[in-house]
Amino acid sequence: MTSIRLKPAYLNLYPEFALACRRDAWCINHGNTTGFDEQQTRVWLDTLAREQPQGLLYLWHHDSPIGQLELAPAMARMDGSLGGYIYLLYLVPQWRGRGLGRWLLEQALQQIRAAGSTSAGLRYLPTNLAAEPFCLRQGWRKEGPVDEQGQLLVKDLIPLMPTTRYANANAT
């Protein structure tokens, strides 16, 4: 994968690529572009690029962007721990089915781990028929019911400590 690189997205240089990725992802999830809000998407991309400098990345093959990754590597949880979240994992159609999705997902998880997060989350809509089997094969698990935002999947990033059972000293 020496010709494949993941680099920060510079919206001022390739703004239409980010928008096209989001538009196609919407179409995959909803079956068409009805309801896709270009202005709201531009605001989201600008906000993500500003607030999470490593949260908006392009996947490059030589001199062409071929994918997009959007994530928050570390967000504080109610219990004080950190969790990462993947907003979008996207490859242009001609690059799908070549193993790059797994590679891109692993790159996202490496960034999330490096930020100190102990788990990661993402959501998919059940209408995206490829998402569920792909994620489950990568070790993600469903959490909670499907709602208007889709199905939440989570992945623990550090192994849980094995439970040690001690014999009760008072047992007879």
Side-chain angles (χ1 to χ4, degrees):
M1 297 240 191
T2 57
S3 61
I4 302 292
R5 299 176 321 281
L6 196 57
K7 299 182 349 184
Y10 298 106
L11 293 176
N12 56 335
L13 298 177
Y14 296 93
E16 295 309 311
F17 181 75
L19 193 61
C21 292
R22 273 280 170 174
R23 185 181 297 110
D24 188 40
W26 179 277
C27 193
I28 291 167
N29 286 311
H30 299 278
N32 57 52
T33 57
T34 302
F36 179 77
D37 186 329
E38 185 173 313
Q39 184 56 37
Q40 184 179 16
T41 301
R42 287 182 190 277
V43 169
W44 160 251
L45 292 167
D46 288 340
T47 302
L48 183 61
R50 185 178 60 254
E51 293 180 3
Q52 296 278 342
Q54 291 298 312
L56 180 57
L57 305 163
Y58 288 158
L59 182 62
W60 290 82
H61 177 254
H62 296 296
D63 295 328
S64 300
I66 61 167
Q68 185 166 312
L69 177 62
E70 299 173 17
L71 71 150
M75 297 185 296
R77 291 199 213 116
M78 297 293 281
D79 66 0
S81 65
L82 296 175
Y85 192 83
I86 300 170
Y87 299 109
L88 180 71
L89 181 82
Y90 178 86
L91 291 169
V92 297
Q94 59 269 34
W95 284 92
R96 296 176 192 156
R98 299 182 185 198
L100 282 176
R102 284 189 309 275
W103 184 85
L104 189 56
L105 182 59
E106 187 52 43
Q107 298 304 302
L109 293 175
Q110 284 180 19
Q111 286 196 25
I112 291 169
R113 281 184 193 102
S117 292
T118 58
S119 68
L122 61 81
R123 285 187 179 271
Y124 73 92
L125 292 175
T127 51
N128 183 341
L129 300 178
E132 180 178 351
F134 171 76
C135 292
L136 295 179
R137 279 193 312 271
Q138 309 310 313
W140 294 75
R141 64 179 161 70
K142 294 179 182 182
E143 187 161 295
V146 177
D147 61 21
E148 66 278 352
Q149 295 179 344
Q151 175 66 59
L152 175 63
L153 296 177
V154 295
K155 183 167 183 146
D156 296 322
L157 299 179
I158 60 170
L160 297 174
M161 295 300 292
T163 303
T164 305
R165 296 181 186 228
Y166 297 95
N168 184 343
N170 296 328
T172 56

